[in-house]
Amino acid sequence: MNIVDSTITLKLPEGSSDVLLKNLYLSCDPYMRNLMNKTQGTPSPFSYTPQSVIAGFGVSKVLESGNPDYKEGDLVTLMFHYPTTPEFSICMPGITAYGGFFELGTPKKGENVFVSAASGAVEQLVGQFAKLHGCYVVGSAGSKEKVDMLKNKFGFDEGFNYKEEPDLNAVLKRYFPEGIGIYFENVGGKTLDAVLLNMRVHDRIPACGMISQYNLTQPEGVTNLAHIIYKRIRMEGFNSADFFHLYPKFLEFVLPHIREEKIVYMEDIAEGLENGPATLVGLFSGRNVGKQVLVVARE
Amino acid sequence: MNIVDSTITLKLPEGSSDVLLKNLYLSCDPYMRNLMNKTQGTPSPFSYTPQSVIAGFGVSKVLESGNPDYKEGDLVTLMFHYPTTPEFSICMPGITAYGGFFELGTPKKGENVFVSAASGAVEQLVGQFAKLHGCYVVGSAGSKEKVDMLKNKFGFDEGFNYKEEPDLNAVLKRYFPEGIGIYFENVGGKTLDAVLLNMRVHDRIPACGMISQYNLTQPEGVTNLAHIIYKRIRMEGFNSADFFHLYPKFLEFVLPHIREEKIVYMEDIAEGLENGPATLVGLFSGRNVGKQVLVVARE
């Protein structure tokens, strides 16, 4: 990944109905890794190809507008053109967490929820949504600092550092003696294998990511998949685009909770476009603590 | 597995409202293997424990009845006490195929369907249901005889012998150049791994079984699970009990097709209780051709 300098003219052509934007904040998200894969699904209009500019979510300021819907100084989010809110950074991770947990997880009050990579942008919200819904919630993360955050900041019932647990099956049995009801999947590999041993009949696995696998030349083998049969488990991959139709419902749910500080949100802010490549790559070693944002300019 | 001889008195106690049955036909099904596992789901009332009698589906004749709903000479199916039809052997595999394909597979006309272990009791029906629904259907099986049956008896568009295909990914690409839409999963392991590479966005995997894995001390690792994320695939384990509420709807669908010979059904009939253990074990090496039935007595 390179940063290439060039000069462009920031001026709309006469009579244009376009909008000229200046990027302020860029979002660094794990899904961006998958846009670099050739082998995945149908090609996305956002797929990355070598030597081309990468795309992502972000917040921009309108410098000039030929469109009556936008005026100079407006803040807008891309790629999906939602109007911004003061809580804009919750937009994409938020709808992902909301749709994945409520629509695919179909949680019942009192159910046991396990979230991996639990301090991440989406996952910290899943844990808080689950607590608001009356669930028992345990999260795993990759450092003591993150685990403390799960318990003290996001209100998870329990948390553990998976790097310090040689036997994931045993640790899950300790935290879920009666089994897991919903596993919000973000990592894949060994964690998924251990989870499958600890799920119950008709449990759900909303599968948001498998970040432990994306950078492996040879992905790990998951050996306990027959438990999907034994326990009639539903595992379903998804991304934010599957739930954009729920955006108004999501805002109605989440905004009052944010205003009442019942939902908090942790960001990891990196400064300067020159740090973009290292910041994006850092997601895959868990360098970020909370939602990774890159500030290009504050205004 | 042993056959134990003993003498019992075939006589109802005076005033009993019970029914005395004689077993005629016993059903040998892959799910029975899983009732021997300790590690699966919640314990089933039908779980097998060493030194106890095993349970299964079957057809029995009423010898004596203290219950007004049954009279001497009636035929009944167990374990779930549905009234029998002349097509009784389609009962359990049939509702499994019907629910798994239509409810979980949510097929659209013209979609591409792949069925593994395709000549099996459930799978031969899935293929025929898919053809009736206007789908393109390919099946895999473990012998030339079975593959011929798929194409000539059940009307599959194509079939292949997986034992003669060193590169399952390549064979799937050949039969599904535009990708698979629904994979009716019965085998797990290498086949599932190859299928995941050939699915498309929002595809479905109704997971009925993973028969290649049940007898392995160390199950094979499935390495392409991240495609569940990339392609937002829904994979869902199930068994017949999940769909018994659809039984009347299923009969309404299937009986006219059977009477018009638009659906055919192949059984593999073994004779004599003494052959029961070998017949049941034979399912796991694919010895049976079609639905395995064991005849204890013809009347």
Side-chain angles (χ1 to χ4, degrees):
Chain A
M1 206 162 4
N2 303 305
I3 295 179
V4 177
D5 285 317
S6 66
T7 304
I8 53 171
T9 307
L10 291 177
K11 182 78 198 145
L12 283 185
E14 193 75 28
S16 168
S17 61
D18 289 346
V19 174
L20 181 69
L21 302 175
K22 177 185 180 182
N23 292 335
L24 303 182
Y25 299 88
L26 301 180
S27 180
C28 298
D29 300 296
Y31 79 88
M32 298 167 81
R33 174 65 182 82
N34 299 333
L35 295 178
M36 300 176 199
N37 287 357
K38 271 197 179 164
T39 53
Q40 55 144 315
T42 46
S44 160
F46 308 112
S47 288
Y48 299 163
T49 48
Q51 308 306 322
S52 69
V53 174
I54 69 172
F57 287 89
V59 176
S60 308
K61 191 173 72 173
V62 175
L63 293 185
E64 197 180 340
S65 175
N67 184 316
D69 292 342
Y70 301 92
K71 62 176 196 298
E72 196 187 314
D74 277 356
L75 294 177
V76 297
T77 64
L78 306 171
M79 307 185 302
F80 294 95
H81 305 284
Y82 284 109
T84 55
T85 70
E87 301 80 9
F88 58 80
S89 70
I90 288 191
C91 159
M92 188 277 287
I95 193 72
T96 308
Y98 181 81
F101 181 65
F102 287 110
E103 295 288 310
L104 304 189
T106 59
K108 291 184 281 292
K109 190 169 156 28
E111 273 197 307
N112 297 335
V113 177
F114 176 52
V115 184
S116 54
S119 67
V122 173
E123 298 75 16
Q124 56 177 271
L125 289 172
V126 170
Q128 294 178 81
F129 293 171
K131 285 308 300 173
L132 285 168
H133 200 68
C135 297
Y136 165 79
V137 188
V138 179
S140 64
S143 73
K144 186 179 180 307
E145 178 190 7
K146 292 179 182 178
V147 171
D148 287 346
M149 201 161 77
L150 297 182
K151 293 194 279 190
N152 303 326
K153 193 98 187 163
F154 303 131
F156 282 58
D157 294 289
E158 300 285 352
F160 65 88
N161 179 352
Y162 71 90
K163 291 179 181 169
E164 291 183 352
E165 297 288 349
D167 185 345
L168 287 171
N169 179 23
V171 72
L172 290 174
K173 285 202 164 34
R174 192 162 76 235
Y175 286 119
F176 297 98
E178 293 172 4
I180 298 167
I182 298 170
Y183 170 47
F184 197 91
E185 161 70 309
N186 302 290
V187 301
K190 290 184 183 65
T191 302
L192 176 58
D193 239 350
V195 164
L196 286 166
L197 297 175
N198 289 282
M199 297 205 81
R200 296 187 299 194
V201 169
H202 285 147
D203 284 351
R204 286 83 63 204
I205 306 182
C208 181
M210 294 196 183
I211 200 166
S212 74
Q213 305 300 299
Y214 297 156
N215 285 332
L216 301 180
T217 314
Q218 179 56 39
E220 292 177 286
V222 172
T223 59
N224 294 323
L225 277 184
H227 287 256
I228 285 182
I229 309 287
Y230 303 153
K231 298 161 185 170
R232 298 128 79 185
I233 291 168
R234 187 176 70 217
M235 178 168 186
E236 191 162 359
F238 67 97
N239 68 28
S240 59
D242 294 323
F243 303 113
F244 277 133
H245 62 286
L246 299 176
Y247 199 70
K249 206 174 146 192
F250 161 64
L251 286 183
E252 197 180 304
F253 165 79
V254 80
L255 290 183
H257 287 311
I258 293 173
R259 291 189 186 119
E260 291 166 22
E261 293 180 1
K262 285 186 181 162
I263 289 180
V264 297
Y265 201 65
M266 289 289 290
E267 290 173 340
D268 187 324
I269 310 280
E271 298 272 349
L273 191 60
E274 65 281 9
N275 292 317
T279 303
L280 184 54
V281 170
L283 290 176
F284 302 94
S285 56
R287 207 182 70 166
N288 58 307
V289 181
K291 163 69 187 154
Q292 183 68 63
V293 175
L294 180 73
V295 184
V296 181
R298 300 246 168 212
E299 58 176 0
Chain B
M1 204 160 7
N2 302 305
I3 294 178
V4 177
D5 285 318
S6 65
T7 304
I8 53 170
T9 306
L10 291 180
K11 184 76 200 145
L12 282 185
E14 195 74 31
S16 168
S17 62
D18 288 347
V19 174
L20 182 68
L21 302 175
K22 178 185 180 184
N23 292 336
L24 303 182
Y25 298 88
L26 301 181
S27 179
C28 298
D29 300 295
Y31 80 87
M32 298 166 82
R33 173 65 183 81
N34 299 333
L35 295 177
M36 301 176 197
N37 287 358
K38 272 197 177 163
T39 52
Q40 56 145 311
T42 46
S44 158
F46 308 112
S47 288
Y48 299 161
T49 49
Q51 307 304 324
S52 68
V53 173
I54 69 171
F57 287 90
V59 176
S60 309
K61 190 173 73 172
V62 175
L63 293 185
E64 198 181 339
S65 176
N67 184 314
D69 292 341
Y70 300 92
K71 62 177 195 300
E72 196 185 315
D74 277 356
L75 293 177
V76 297
T77 63
L78 305 171
M79 307 184 303
F80 293 95
H81 304 284
Y82 284 108
T84 55
T85 72
E87 301 80 9
F88 59 79
S89 71
I90 288 191
C91 158
M92 188 278 286
I95 193 70
T96 308
Y98 181 82
F101 181 65
F102 287 111
E103 295 289 310
L104 304 189
T106 59
K108 289 184 282 292
K109 189 167 158 21
E111 273 198 305
N112 297 335
V113 177
F114 176 53
V115 185
S116 53
S119 67
V122 173
E123 298 76 14
Q124 56 178 268
L125 290 172
V126 170
Q128 294 177 82
F129 294 171
K131 284 308 300 173
L132 285 168
H133 200 69
C135 297
Y136 165 79
V137 189
V138 178
S140 64
S143 73
K144 186 180 179 310
E145 178 191 8
K146 291 179 183 180
V147 171
D148 288 346
M149 200 160 80
L150 296 182
K151 291 193 280 190
N152 303 325
K153 192 99 189 161
F154 304 131
F156 283 59
D157 294 287
E158 300 286 352
F160 65 88
N161 179 351
Y162 70 91
K163 290 179 182 167
E164 290 183 350
E165 297 288 352
D167 185 344
L168 288 170
N169 180 22
V171 72
L172 290 174
K173 285 203 163 35
R174 193 161 74 236
Y175 287 118
F176 297 98
E178 292 173 3
I180 299 167
I182 298 170
Y183 170 49
F184 198 91
E185 160 70 310
N186 301 290
V187 300
K190 289 183 183 64
T191 303
L192 176 58
D193 239 348
V195 164
L196 286 167
L197 297 175
N198 288 281
M199 297 204 83
R200 295 187 300 194
V201 168
H202 284 147
D203 285 351
R204 287 81 65 203
I205 305 181
C208 181
M210 294 196 184
I211 200 167
S212 73
Q213 305 300 299
Y214 297 155
N215 285 332
L216 302 179
T217 313
Q218 178 57 37
E220 290 176 288
V222 172
T223 59
N224 295 323
L225 276 184
H227 287 256
I228 286 182
I229 309 287
Y230 302 153
K231 298 161 185 170
R232 297 125 82 184
I233 292 168
R234 186 176 69 216
M235 179 170 186
E236 190 160 1
F238 66 97
N239 67 28
S240 58
D242 294 323
F243 303 114
F244 278 133
H245 63 286
L246 298 176
Y247 200 68
K249 205 174 146 192
F250 161 63
L251 287 183
E252 197 179 306
F253 165 80
V254 82
L255 291 183
H257 287 311
I258 292 174
R259 291 189 186 119
E260 293 166 22
E261 294 181 0
K262 285 188 182 161
I263 289 179
V264 297
Y265 200 64
M266 289 291 290
E267 290 174 340
D268 187 326
I269 310 281
E271 298 272 348
L273 191 59
E274 65 280 12
N275 293 316
T279 303
L280 184 54
V281 169
L283 290 176
F284 301 95
S285 57
R287 208 182 69 166
N288 59 307
V289 180
K291 163 70 188 155
Q292 184 67 63
V293 174
L294 181 73
V295 184
V296 181
R298 298 248 170 210
E299 60 177 359

